[in-house]
Amino acid sequence: MSVVFTRVATPLPGRLGDAAKFMRERADALKSTYSIDVALNARFGGPVGQMGLVSYHDSLADLEDIRRKIITDVGAGKLPTPDAGVFAHSDDAIWLKL
């Protein structure tokens, strides 16, 4: 079973440049640290400046293992985190490929 993970984030007004920079840094860090191929996408239409990270995983167990490592490493300061006031909100979704 293939699993698709998405994180969609909406920057606050005037913070689009900072948001894009962070999203690129996070995608690069995920690739170099965990060998995850993460695509960065920008929404066309809808909320202004909204961006999404997308990654594909072999199974839910694989995704859960990676997510636990990421949570630990964020807490330890090993992965980039956004400055306060960059994003209005973010939403994660897990999709099962049919």
Side-chain angles (χ1 to χ4, degrees), residues 1 5 8 12-13 22 26 30 37 50 52-53 56 90 96:
M1 167 188 352
F5 176 80
V8 176
L12 287 165
F22 166 74
R26 176 59 76 91
L30 293 173
D37 187 22
Q50 200 169 58
L53 297 175
Y56 296 87
S90 66
L96 302 178

Side-chain angles (χ1 to χ4, degrees), residues 65-86:
D65 182 53
I66 292 290
R67 297 278 295 148
R68 288 181 184 274
K69 290 175 184 175
I70 291 169
I71 290 166
T72 298
D73 289 348
V74 166
K78 296 179 181 178
L79 289 175
T81 56
D83 293 333
V86 172

Side-chain angles (χ1 to χ4, degrees), residues 12-31:
L12 287 165
R15 301 302 303 264
L16 179 59
D18 296 325
K21 179 181 175 192
F22 166 74
M23 294 290 267
R24 282 190 204 98
E25 288 174 356
R26 176 59 76 91
D28 291 345
L30 293 173
K31 186 170 187 168

